[in-house]
Amino acid sequence: MSTSFVLNGASTTLDADPAMPLLWAIREVSGLHGTKFGCGMALCGACTLHVDGEAVRSCVMPLSSVAGKQVTTIEGLQSKAAKAVQAAWIQLQVPQCGYCQSGQVMSATALLEKNTAPTDADIDGAMSGNICRCATYSRIRAAIHAAAQSIKA
Amino acid sequence: MTRTSLAAVRPTRREFLQAAGSVTTMALTIGFEWLGPSRRAAAAGASPAVFAPNAFLRIGADGSVTVIAKHVEMGQGAYTGIATVLAEELDADWAHVRVESAPANVKLYANSAFGMQGTGGSSAMANSWSQLREAGAKGRAMLLTAAAKDWKVPVTELTTEKGVVFHAGSKRKAGYGSLTAKAAALPVPDKVTLKDPKDFKLIGRHVPRVDVPAKVDGTAVFTLDVALPGMLVALLKRPPLFGATVKSFDPTAASAVPGVVKVVQVPHGVAVVARSFWAAKQGRDALVVDWDDTHAEKRSSSEMMNEYRHLAEQPALSARKVGDAVPAIKNAAHTVSASYEFPYLAHAPMEPLDAVVKLTATSCEIWAGDQFQTVDQANAAKTAGLDPQHVSINTLYAGGSFGRRANVGSDYIVEAVSIAKAYGADGTPIKLQWTREDDIHGGLYRPMYFHKLEAGLNEKKELIAWRHVIVGQSIMAGGPFEVMVKNGIDPTSVEGAATIAYEIPNIDVELSTTRSAVPVLWWRVVGSSHTTFAVEAFIDEVAHAAGKDPFAFRRDLLGHEPRMKAVLELAADKAGWSAPLPKGKGRGIAVGEAFNTYVAQVAEVTVDDAGRVTVDRVVCAVDCGIPINPDVIAAQMEGGIGFGLGAVLYGAITLKNGRVEQDNFNNYRVLRINEMPKVEVHIVPSAEAPTGVGEPGVAPIGPAVANAIFAATGTRVHLLPFPKSSKA
Ligand code: FES
Ligand code: FES
């Protein structure tokens, strides 16, 4: 069975088990490796990507659920907010091991695309589903504020 | 006092070498076969114009500088630090410096702290300091000589800057890339003069990490991302109890899952090998295995802790003795006593363990975030029935480790090789993927411990005697590091306790080592992950009993320990130690030494009426010798504080009739962003040789927070993790 959707701007049809989690379809069938596996239970955020602009946990989403939808992974980030987030991440040297960071960048981008001046509470709300075992949290917070500033400027 | 005691409990380098020698066997140079994105360029540039004066440096004709790292990059910034030290002496242009992982080769790339190739003990910078400065300086000297010969000018008239050689007199200059062919023909000098630290241009500055750009756009390659032609994915069903084995299994249902290729038994369980993760996962879920648990651990952790409590009252082995603490406490004017209980902890690195193996009858190639290369090479060779020289390892970025990937049994590597062997050793690449549940259930935990402490004070309320009994499993026993266990004392069980820095006339530290089938391992900051808590929480109780300020009480016992005293004072000063706090808030302090790095932290907490704790702010002072990269040091302190805080707030692996009760991040909770305090890091300026920063920041946060909770509420924390009632 096949599922058709738009992946990073391009129409895509994947011939895979429709029950296969989107994470594994993207990684193993489409061959895009930026989206990571951390828990498989929507607990850590490593697999975060965007479906119709919303940050979702792809490890628990069956492939069939994105039929006809727009899926964006870290490889397909284009928006002004995304570029601001990535620049701030570099400027503030956020990553350590880096394994969680695709998910962090995806969640932060989704936040800033909707809210250009997030408060600390907004950041907690949008980012607390993304675990970082290296605990880069202080820098993530600072980088989101810095990215928000740069979007405004 | 500390220094002499360190000698008593710490193994010497020779002992480490002996220990390591038994597992490393012989290792020879092995070239890369896999051409990853970074290596492709390197291999393509392997022309005569490449200048490679030693095993750590390669300069291409295009001026690119490749530094070969013998340490794994698992988040701690090792690649950046290693490249900084070498590039400093080379006077390289940082924009053109790249890092590549070293192959497994004990002769070239042994860790000078352990004699085998591996990363641990926060040793990368201490290890690299002279070795890589020299490597860079020799490379620079040869480039200079090449230019001097070419231009027929004295070498002393030449200068270098950012990858270019200059001759001021004749206004000539040459990029390093243009000199590689000539430099490569020169002999490597025996001796070089290293830079005066005042001339450092990279060390001590804000040098951006080499790995950050690829970790921001998703292109960094982890083991999870290795995809080789024809590669299969394996998931392994392991026994539900530690020490159980396979009795029998029925592969019928698993084999019926579309995409499952083979079901194979290996010594560690039964593996499902499939065309995709999803197929392997469904296959494993369907797999039926009957286990033999005759020799398995069937106790609950609560029963084990009861046994530990009992053992703490029995005679134990002496790990440190100064004066005679027992009678001194008996006759003291005032006494204080307390006990502290620490659970098993999982490392839970963000990237669940994984390894790719390509095995044939004559060769074995491994891709992993490998932390123990020559140990893993030897274990893989033994498993495959090959000579170690036919096992090559491609070390990739590791998505965290915290010690988990460095284990003497090479568990995940050996599993992967065993599966490839059982599959048929036909050259099919197989990726063994652990799930998060496999990781949480997978053992090799930070051991569970019970600590009992007693102190005696004289009439003037001065601390005159200290007795500390530790009960728990040994990390070193039963493996190749057993040689480091001296007179029954595993140094990793007592470090931070036997090495207590406070000046006390009578000290007695004892150890009772327990046994269990639950496998245990070093966890970030190793022994100090529990000993620093016990020492620093208890010294706080003693200070209170003495009627003294907890900061001043510590400081007055550290007169002979200037570096520890300095970090303590710096942290207290920057935190505004004596400024009053409103009701419901408290401030706590703790200090410790680990791997020759000194860290003090002051935590400020708020405890609400329901007893919920919020850690608002942490001020951290660190002395790690010459600060190579202040921003990486700050990042490691911030991360260490978050990692340690998550553990004391929530971390516990518990056993019920031998079965691990936690599964994933829902019930093995870790710190999240909303719980991260504001952290300020202050680095002590130093001219001492650099020491590591990956681990030491983890140790003081627990006791600093516990002491702050006491300051806010009058209640002491004796059980880890903190009681549920005080969870945020
Ligand atoms: S892997 Fe999807 S949330 Fe953890
Ligand atoms: S950077 Fe390592 S888990 Fe976030």
Side-chain angles (χ1 to χ4, degrees):
Chain A
M1 236 197 93
S2 63
T3 304
S4 297
F5 58 103
V6 178
L7 177 58
N8 295 332
S11 304
T12 306
T13 299
L14 295 187
D15 193 14
D17 178 357
M20 179 186 282
L22 179 61
L23 167 67
W24 297 106
I26 296 273
R27 288 189 54 86
E28 296 185 342
V29 186
S30 298
L32 297 179
H33 294 154
T35 312
K36 304 299 189 222
F37 165 63
C39 70
M41 283 185 63
L43 295 165
C44 78
C47 64
T48 305
L49 44 69
H50 298 173
V51 174
D52 288 347
E54 298 286 336
V56 301
R57 312 298 181 217
S58 62
C59 65
V60 292
M61 266 195 128
L63 173 59
S64 60
S65 71
V66 296
K69 301 198 173 176
Q70 298 269 349
V71 175
T72 307
T73 67
I74 186 129
E75 291 88 353
L77 283 183
Q78 298 285 353
S79 70
K80 193 175 171 195
K83 296 295 155 198
V85 165
Q86 288 174 315
W89 247 242
I90 290 174
Q91 191 207 334
L92 291 171
Q93 296 279 292
V94 174
Q96 290 187 23
C97 83
Y99 192 81
C100 73
Q101 297 294 343
S102 294
Q104 306 283 2
V105 165
M106 296 309 285
S107 290
T109 299
L111 168 66
L112 287 172
E113 279 172 356
K114 293 196 181 63
N115 178 353
T116 50
T119 61
D120 279 341
D122 295 336
I123 292 173
D124 284 348
M127 303 301 296
S128 60
N130 286 81
I131 290 173
C132 175
R133 281 296 280 151
C134 302
T136 61
Y137 299 126
S138 316
R139 289 175 189 234
I140 289 173
R141 184 182 302 283
I144 292 175
H145 285 307
Q149 285 299 325
S150 80
I151 294 170
K152 247 186 263 156
Chain B
M1 187 164 16
T2 309
R3 294 290 79 86
T4 48
S5 66
L6 285 179
V9 295
R10 288 205 167 158
T12 63
R13 182 168 167 274
R14 179 178 301 279
E15 286 161 343
F16 248 125
L17 292 173
Q18 285 166 350
S22 58
V23 285
T24 47
T25 71
M26 223 178 38
L28 300 168
T29 309
I30 291 147
F32 294 116
E33 287 167 40
W34 180 65
L35 299 179
S38 64
R39 290 188 185 125
R40 198 166 287 130
S47 65
V50 169
F51 171 49
N54 50 59
F56 300 100
L57 170 63
R58 206 167 56 227
I59 303 176
D62 60 353
S64 63
V65 172
T66 303
V67 178
I68 292 107
K70 65 183 184 180
H71 292 86
V72 66
E73 176 56 71
M74 48 194 174
Q76 81 281 40
Y79 276 15
T80 305
I82 283 166
T84 302
V85 170
L86 192 149
E88 176 69 67
E89 292 290 346
L90 182 64
D91 264 347
D93 180 355
W94 187 249
H96 294 140
V97 174
R98 296 178 323 189
V99 181
E100 180 179 298
S101 64
N105 184 325
V106 78
K107 284 202 187 115
L108 294 176
Y109 300 116
N111 184 318
S112 56
F114 353 121
M116 48 141 207
Q117 188 178 342
T119 307
S122 292
S123 62
M125 287 306 100
N127 237 266
S128 305
W129 186 240
S130 44
Q131 188 172 47
L132 295 189
R133 283 179 76 195
E134 202 170 284
K138 285 184 175 172
R140 177 179 172 273
M142 291 164 77
L143 291 161
L144 281 180
T145 306
K149 280 193 171 160
D150 208 19
W151 298 338
K152 304 196 171 49
V153 296
V155 75
T156 48
E157 289 179 9
L158 299 178
T159 55
T160 51
E161 199 184 329
K162 284 196 173 177
V164 179
V165 182
F166 295 92
H167 183 245
S170 62
K171 293 205 163 58
R172 269 178 295 195
K173 61 178 185 175
Y176 285 180
S178 69
L179 296 166
T180 51
K182 291 187 181 100
L186 297 171
V188 180
D190 282 341
K191 278 207 183 98
V192 276
T193 316
L194 300 180
K195 277 187 185 175
D196 186 320
K198 74 173 169 36
D199 298 327
F200 287 160
K201 295 190 185 78
L202 296 172
I203 292 170
R205 304 291 172 88
H206 185 107
V207 172
R209 285 178 65 134
V210 293
D211 53 345
V212 156
K215 289 176 173 179
V216 167
D217 65 11
T219 57
V221 177
F222 298 87
T223 308
L224 181 78
D225 308 323
V226 174
L228 302 172
M231 188 179 80
L232 300 175
V233 179
L235 264 69
L236 179 61
K237 201 174 186 95
R238 299 176 187 79
L241 299 182
F242 293 110
T245 52
V246 177
K247 197 187 281 172
S248 63
F249 70 100
D250 179 358
T252 320
S255 302
V257 171
V260 170
V261 179
K262 242 183 215 181
V263 177
V264 295
Q265 183 175 351
V266 291
H268 331 85
V270 182
V272 176
V273 186
R275 296 199 194 286
S276 68
F277 173 89
W278 182 234
K281 169 81 167 53
Q282 288 174 296
R284 187 175 72 169
D285 289 348
L287 181 66
V288 180
V289 183
D290 196 10
W291 304 100
D292 175 357
D293 55 13
T294 314
H295 302 290
E297 174 63 83
K298 298 186 201 72
R299 287 175 296 172
S300 298
S301 40
S302 54
E303 284 169 63
M304 294 165 72
M305 192 57 92
N306 275 336
E307 180 199 315
Y308 288 15
R309 277 187 212 109
H310 175 74
L311 282 169
E313 304 303 325
Q314 309 299 312
L317 296 173
S318 177
R320 170 93 185 274
K321 196 160 172 64
V322 178
D324 205 352
V326 173
I329 291 168
K330 207 169 170 197
N331 301 321
H334 310 273
T335 59
V336 190
S337 67
S339 59
Y340 303 88
E341 299 183 9
F342 301 89
Y344 285 118
L345 291 174
H347 303 72
M350 204 70 228
E351 180 184 19
L353 298 182
D354 42 10
V356 177
V357 169
K358 190 176 174 191
L359 181 69
T360 69
T362 54
S363 71
C364 179
E365 188 171 8
I366 297 169
W367 291 259
D370 203 296
Q371 196 180 345
F372 245 19
Q373 287 89 348
T374 53
V375 174
D376 293 343
Q377 184 185 43
N379 283 326
K382 202 167 149 217
T383 306
L386 293 171
D387 202 77
Q389 63 176 304
H390 296 126
V391 176
S392 59
I393 297 179
N394 303 285
T395 300
L396 305 178
Y397 284 134
S401 175
F402 316 117
R404 184 61 180 81
R405 294 173 205 272
N407 69 80
V408 295
S410 311
D411 63 342
Y412 70 110
I413 301 278
V414 167
E415 285 177 355
V417 175
S418 304
I419 293 166
K421 192 176 170 189
Y423 183 83
D426 63 356
T428 304
I430 296 178
K431 180 190 286 179
L432 169 67
Q433 182 65 52
W434 287 39
T435 62
R436 179 59 59 197
E437 289 80 5
D438 294 339
D439 172 57
I440 299 297
H441 296 163
L444 292 177
Y445 304 128
R446 195 285 305 272
M448 194 171 95
Y449 288 99
F450 182 81
H451 288 240
K452 181 181 169 218
L453 290 104
E454 297 168 277
L457 303 165
N458 62 16
E459 289 80 8
K460 290 190 280 179
K461 297 207 171 166
E462 290 163 337
L463 176 58
I464 51 160
W466 176 276
R467 179 160 184 260
H468 188 165
V469 182
I470 300 172
V471 183
Q473 279 171 262
S474 163
I475 294 168
M476 302 283 195
F481 286 103
E482 174 106 39
V483 295
M484 295 178 45
V485 178
K486 287 281 148 66
N487 303 318
I489 303 292
D490 178 340
T492 68
S493 300
V494 297
E495 61 186 359
T499 54
I500 182 170
Y502 298 117
E503 191 149 35
I504 308 166
N506 300 287
I507 298 176
D508 192 356
V509 180
E510 294 167 39
L511 175 68
S512 192
T513 299
T514 58
R515 289 193 182 280
S516 167
V518 180
V520 294
L521 185 64
W522 33 65
W523 181 96
R524 197 172 182 182
V525 87
V526 196
S528 301
S529 70
H530 52 102
T531 57
T532 297
F533 191 103
V535 168
E536 287 297 298
F538 190 61
I539 198 85
D540 223 72
E541 301 200 28
V542 174
H544 185 73
K548 300 264 175 56
D549 172 80
F551 157 64
F553 188 75
R554 285 175 172 82
R555 182 197 55 204
D556 295 348
L557 294 173
L558 289 172
H560 60 299
E561 280 282 351
R563 295 179 73 182
M564 200 178 256
K565 185 160 162 259
V567 290
L568 184 81
E569 288 174 331
L570 182 60
D573 177 45
K574 297 289 182 184
W577 177 255
S578 39
L581 284 172
K583 195 177 169 298
K585 290 189 184 288
R587 207 181 265 127
I589 193 165
V591 62
E593 172 272 340
F595 309 113
N596 301 312
T597 290
Y598 301 82
V599 184
Q601 289 163 5
V602 173
E604 274 176 34
V605 306
T606 304
V607 184
D608 71 10
D609 292 339
R612 285 183 299 245
V613 176
T614 308
V615 182
D616 304 312
R617 177 184 179 222
V618 177
V619 176
C620 174
V622 54
D623 174 357
C624 55
I626 293 173
I628 293 174
N629 189 319
D631 192 52
V632 168
I633 295 166
Q636 287 308 301
M637 293 301 123
E638 294 161 14
I641 287 164
F643 188 87
L645 183 58
V648 295
L649 289 177
Y650 310 120
I653 292 288
T654 55
L655 269 57
K656 177 100 182 162
N657 301 325
R659 210 176 264 263
V660 175
E661 294 185 284
Q662 293 71 28
D663 313 286
N664 204 316
F665 290 125
N666 56 332
N667 49 16
Y668 188 76
R669 282 188 63 185
V670 298
L671 201 79
R672 291 180 183 268
I673 193 168
N674 54 310
E675 299 149 333
M676 182 75 190
K678 285 200 169 56
V679 176
E680 294 162 36
V681 179
H682 302 277
I683 302 169
V684 177
S686 171
E688 303 275 343
T691 49
V693 293
E695 301 175 82
V698 175
I701 185 63
V705 171
N707 296 337
I709 292 172
F710 174 76
T713 65
T715 304
R716 290 286 180 189
V717 176
H718 292 131
L719 290 181
L720 277 294
F722 294 175
K724 284 191 175 28
S725 64
S726 61
K727 274 185 188 174

